[in-house]
Amino acid sequence: MDYTIKIGGEAGQGIQTIGETLSSIFAKAGYHVFTHQDYESRIRGGHNFYQIRISDKPVTASRSVVNILVALDKESITLYENELSSDGHVLYDSDMLKQTSDRPNFLNVPLLDLAQSNGGSKIMANIVAVGAVLGMLGMQPDIMYKTIQKAFTKKGDSVVEANIKSARAGYEYAKEKCLRCSFMISSYNKPKMLISGNEAIGVGAIASGLKFYSAYPMTPSTGIMNYVADKAKDAGIIVEQAEDEIAAINMAIGASFAGVRAMTGTSGGGFALMVEGISLAGMTETPLVIALAQRPGPATGLPTRTEQADLLFALYAGHGEFPRVIFAPGTPEQAFYLTNKAFDLAEKYQITAIILTDQYLADSQWSFEEFDLKRLKLVDYRIREEQSGKIDEYKRHAFTESGISPFAVPGESKHLVVTDSDEHDEEGHIIEDALTRIKMVEKRLFKKMPIIRKEIEPPFLYGNTNPNIILICWGSMFGVVKEVIDELADQYKIAMLHFSEIYPLPEEGNWLNLLSTVELKINIEQNATSQFASLLRAETGLQMDRYINRFDGRPFTIEELKERVYANVRGL
């Protein structure tokens, strides 16, 4: 079983509601689920779609072929009819689209009429559509009813009943009328967790002891703030919507200096405003975690679409030289654990840690069995009241063998905790002399970087363990490259090398030997200039053999990337 359902229509038609409800039902049924969204940067109007892939085997990317197209506007048919599989169907409402079709694979479901007659309002047409899709697939409706019950309980019994009646009407109509539907649905399994990239970062931050989150809303990073804000009261977190990104990062730096784990999140344009703050955190050695969700630039660019073009910006943002780490998770699961690692390294080494995602990962939903909470690390590296009382002399920026100075919490001891954005001495007071400057740079940068590098995990090798061909990728390219490897494994000795811990690069080891000796290295990135390949070349001297780039703001489907890879390996 491997089916794709695409819901297309205008913004404001409830596309996301249908998509998220269906995805939730499929995950509760125990199916493997992958979703991705394509939406324009406007509140109402413009064409959007929500695509869901379900299978009885793990799925990590979208396919080009669609099995059920839910067309809420005419444009959906124009744009996507050619994506239908040989057994694909279009679900539409002739009254809604003001057109009819007599083609055998077009199912006219009176969404508006069924919603009005069963739920008492046309607004429930989306729930009718959910029921109709399940009817076409031949799924039992019990999980759908339970999902609706849970979603609308707070609105009262009458609302729950109206929605269930609407869903049932759509389900029964489609099941009776779609005589050509021949989908084979697997039996239910253990329910799975469904989570997006943004949600995983939010969960990871809360599980890592986050106590202060400040940000200015900016797509596609806003979902992190929304998630944390929703859990803030229960988790004891202060969430501040700042007046701009400059304020947001400086609030987070202040909160961190005052003694709590702090984080901010933004996207390209907002990150540009944060650059001076990044340097402030670097000079004062204040722990800071930043989630940077990439979107196509420059300037406003394509604000609701995806790209991997901010890697070098994240790497070099800030004046002066100071250490940082950059993580680029490829899945929500990696986002969860790497957010925890970002907090741990930021606190341990008193540095800035950047979690680099993009719109594709931020909004995509993946299904998982569960996350292993035992893998989380939560160590308080700060000197708090009890420990501080045992110290006779305290210097915030004391020279140490490791470069890591004791980090006391202001107000929790008799000692004064001083830092300065100017160059400073061990006590944190401003200086001008050359010797102290040199020793401080050595402390902040040269002593810390080698031990930080030892914390970085090597890239993940997937596929043939003795390959002739390696596909090198990073961040959100994980899922689609992984499935391309699966599809080409019978024809080629091929593997994927995926980097999620981007900077500093891991210590030299098997991965570098493998890249140095493999017959063909193909670098794949969602940008125009192969930024990661440039970083790899600068750090190791390795030159890629071939490059595959996409920079139109859209993610690869499996078929699209497979064709590009195949064009590069054909004949080998």
Side-chain angles (χ1 to χ4, degrees), residues 227-281:
Y227 184 88
V228 174
D230 187 55
K231 313 296 180 189
K233 186 176 181 181
D234 292 337
I237 300 170
I238 292 176
V239 177
E240 179 69 23
Q241 180 176 320
E243 60 267 36
D244 58 31
E245 288 84 354
I246 299 172
I249 190 170
N250 287 318
M251 286 178 182
I253 292 170
S256 179
F257 181 77
V260 299
R261 293 194 168 193
M263 179 179 182
T264 184
T266 189
S267 299
F271 189 72
L273 293 175
M274 290 184 174
V275 168
E276 188 174 9
I278 293 170
S279 290
L280 175 62

Side-chain angles (χ1 to χ4, degrees), residues 205 208-214 235-239 249-264 285-289 343 346-347 350-351 378-384 407-410 412:
S208 302
L210 175 72
K211 290 300 172 191
F212 184 87
Y213 188 97
S214 55
I237 300 170
I238 292 176
V239 177
I249 190 170
N250 287 318
M251 286 178 182
I253 292 170
S256 179
F257 181 77
V260 299
R261 293 194 168 193
M263 179 179 182
T264 184
E285 298 180 89
T286 304
L288 179 65
V289 175
F343 272 99
E347 296 283 323
Q350 302 165 24
I351 59 171
L378 188 54
V379 178
D380 188 358
Y381 297 100
R382 305 192 188 217
I383 298 174
R384 299 198 181 270
F407 193 7
V409 176
E412 288 196 10

Side-chain angles (χ1 to χ4, degrees), residues 460-532:
F460 175 62
L461 180 68
Y462 178 79
N464 195 299
T465 56
N466 186 29
N468 293 332
I469 305 163
I470 291 184
L471 308 184
I472 298 100
C473 61
W474 61 281
S476 67
M477 295 301 298
F478 176 92
V480 66
V481 175
K482 178 175 178 288
E483 293 218 36
V484 167
I485 294 293
D486 290 338
E487 298 213 350
L488 295 177
D490 291 339
Q491 298 172 260
Y492 300 98
K493 293 176 67 177
I494 190 169
M496 170 183 75
L497 198 63
H498 177 263
F499 290 77
S500 60
E501 303 193 21
I502 299 291
Y503 189 82
L505 285 175
E507 292 185 309
E508 296 181 4
N510 293 336
W511 68 273
L512 192 55
N513 295 332
L514 187 60
L515 285 179
S516 301
T517 56
V518 72
E519 183 177 344
L520 180 62
K521 301 181 287 293
I522 303 176
N523 185 76
I524 305 172
E525 298 187 49
Q526 287 255 180
N527 57 44
T529 57
S530 303
Q531 295 189 13
F532 182 72

Side-chain angles (χ1 to χ4, degrees), residues 243-449:
E243 60 267 36
D244 58 31
E245 288 84 354
I246 299 172
I249 190 170
N250 287 318
M251 286 178 182
I253 292 170
S256 179
F257 181 77
V260 299
R261 293 194 168 193
M263 179 179 182
T264 184
T266 189
S267 299
F271 189 72
L273 293 175
M274 290 184 174
V275 168
E276 188 174 9
I278 293 170
S279 290
L280 175 62
M283 174 58 95
T284 59
E285 298 180 89
T286 304
L288 179 65
V289 175
I290 303 173
L292 171 54
Q294 300 166 101
R295 67 190 207 186
T300 308
L302 296 174
T304 59
R305 302 194 184 277
T306 197
E307 201 160 81
Q308 292 182 303
D310 292 343
L311 169 58
L312 297 182
F313 181 31
L315 178 59
Y316 297 117
H319 51 293
E321 300 166 302
F322 52 92
R324 73 191 69 191
V325 297
I326 300 175
F327 296 147
T331 72
E333 185 178 34
Q334 290 182 5
F336 175 71
Y337 293 120
L338 287 177
T339 299
N340 176 251
K341 187 168 184 176
F343 272 99
D344 184 67
L345 296 189
E347 296 283 323
K348 185 176 183 180
Y349 297 103
Q350 302 165 24
I351 59 171
T352 292
I354 298 172
I355 305 162
L356 193 59
T357 69
D358 51 45
Q359 182 270 331
Y360 182 51
L361 179 63
D363 291 338
S364 296
Q365 291 179 302
W366 298 51
S367 58
F368 296 94
E369 300 291 342
E370 59 185 359
F371 291 163
D372 182 5
L373 300 182
K374 294 178 182 175
R375 287 178 54 187
L376 297 180
K377 195 171 183 180
L378 188 54
V379 178
D380 188 358
Y381 297 100
R382 305 192 188 217
I383 298 174
R384 299 198 181 270
E385 187 170 5
E386 184 177 349
Q387 297 171 275
S388 181
K390 301 174 183 176
I391 300 174
D392 294 328
E393 184 185 30
Y394 175 76
K395 296 178 179 177
R396 167 66 189 96
H397 297 286
F399 297 128
T400 64
E401 187 63 30
S402 65
I404 304 169
S405 304
F407 193 7
V409 176
E412 288 196 10
S413 77
K414 60 183 180 182
H415 301 295
L416 192 61
V417 184
V418 179
T419 191
D420 200 308
S421 64
D422 285 76
E423 190 56 275
H424 40 255
D425 60 15
E426 290 181 278
E427 294 181 337
H429 298 302
I430 184 171
I431 59 95
E432 293 285 350
D433 69 280
L435 181 59
T436 303
R437 161 67 180 179
I438 292 170
K439 292 182 70 175
M440 273 296 164
V441 172
E442 290 176 343
K443 181 191 102 64
R444 282 193 301 264
L445 184 60
F446 294 133
K447 288 190 174 181
K448 285 183 182 178
M449 281 305 286

Side-chain angles (χ1 to χ4, degrees), residues 74-361:
K74 294 178 184 178
E75 195 174 359
S76 297
I77 296 174
T78 304
L79 290 173
Y80 311 127
E81 186 180 359
N82 64 350
E83 296 179 2
L84 287 172
S85 62
S86 57
D87 62 347
H89 286 72
V90 177
L91 188 163
Y92 77 108
D93 180 346
S94 58
D95 286 344
M96 192 180 288
L97 271 57
K98 308 300 182 190
Q99 70 177 35
T100 58
S101 173
D102 56 2
R103 279 170 282 186
N105 63 333
F106 275 57
L107 180 65
N108 181 10
V109 180
L111 301 175
L112 296 174
D113 285 350
L114 290 175
Q116 183 68 53
S117 58
N118 289 275
S121 171
K122 292 182 179 179
I123 200 172
M124 296 178 194
N126 295 333
I127 293 298
V128 178
V130 169
V133 169
L134 295 194
M136 293 173 75
L137 287 171
M139 279 184 67
Q140 292 300 313
D142 48 337
I143 296 177
M144 174 176 68
Y145 297 147
K146 291 177 183 176
T147 301
I148 292 172
Q149 173 86 39
K150 185 177 180 180
F152 294 103
T153 292
K154 290 183 179 178
K155 296 187 176 183
D157 293 342
S158 61
V159 174
V160 170
E161 183 59 26
N163 277 279
I164 287 178
K165 286 180 65 177
S166 298
R168 182 183 294 118
Y171 178 85
E172 292 178 348
Y173 187 96
K175 193 170 183 182
E176 178 186 348
K177 300 292 184 181
C178 193
L179 302 178
R180 296 172 59 93
C181 287
S182 56
F183 301 108
M184 302 294 289
I185 284 290
S186 301
S187 56
Y188 292 175
N189 210 326
K190 182 182 176 183
K192 290 183 172 54
M193 172 177 67
L194 191 66
I195 189 167
S196 70
N198 271 348
E199 290 170 339
I201 291 173
V203 177
I206 293 171
S208 302
L210 175 72
K211 290 300 172 191
F212 184 87
Y213 188 97
S214 55
Y216 182 80
M218 191 168 189
T219 302
S221 67
T222 309
I224 302 170
M225 181 165 66
N226 291 342
Y227 184 88
V228 174
D230 187 55
K231 313 296 180 189
K233 186 176 181 181
D234 292 337
I237 300 170
I238 292 176
V239 177
E240 179 69 23
Q241 180 176 320
E243 60 267 36
D244 58 31
E245 288 84 354
I246 299 172
I249 190 170
N250 287 318
M251 286 178 182
I253 292 170
S256 179
F257 181 77
V260 299
R261 293 194 168 193
M263 179 179 182
T264 184
T266 189
S267 299
F271 189 72
L273 293 175
M274 290 184 174
V275 168
E276 188 174 9
I278 293 170
S279 290
L280 175 62
M283 174 58 95
T284 59
E285 298 180 89
T286 304
L288 179 65
V289 175
I290 303 173
L292 171 54
Q294 300 166 101
R295 67 190 207 186
T300 308
L302 296 174
T304 59
R305 302 194 184 277
T306 197
E307 201 160 81
Q308 292 182 303
D310 292 343
L311 169 58
L312 297 182
F313 181 31
L315 178 59
Y316 297 117
H319 51 293
E321 300 166 302
F322 52 92
R324 73 191 69 191
V325 297
I326 300 175
F327 296 147
T331 72
E333 185 178 34
Q334 290 182 5
F336 175 71
Y337 293 120
L338 287 177
T339 299
N340 176 251
K341 187 168 184 176
F343 272 99
D344 184 67
L345 296 189
E347 296 283 323
K348 185 176 183 180
Y349 297 103
Q350 302 165 24
I351 59 171
T352 292
I354 298 172
I355 305 162
L356 193 59
T357 69
D358 51 45
Q359 182 270 331
Y360 182 51
L361 179 63

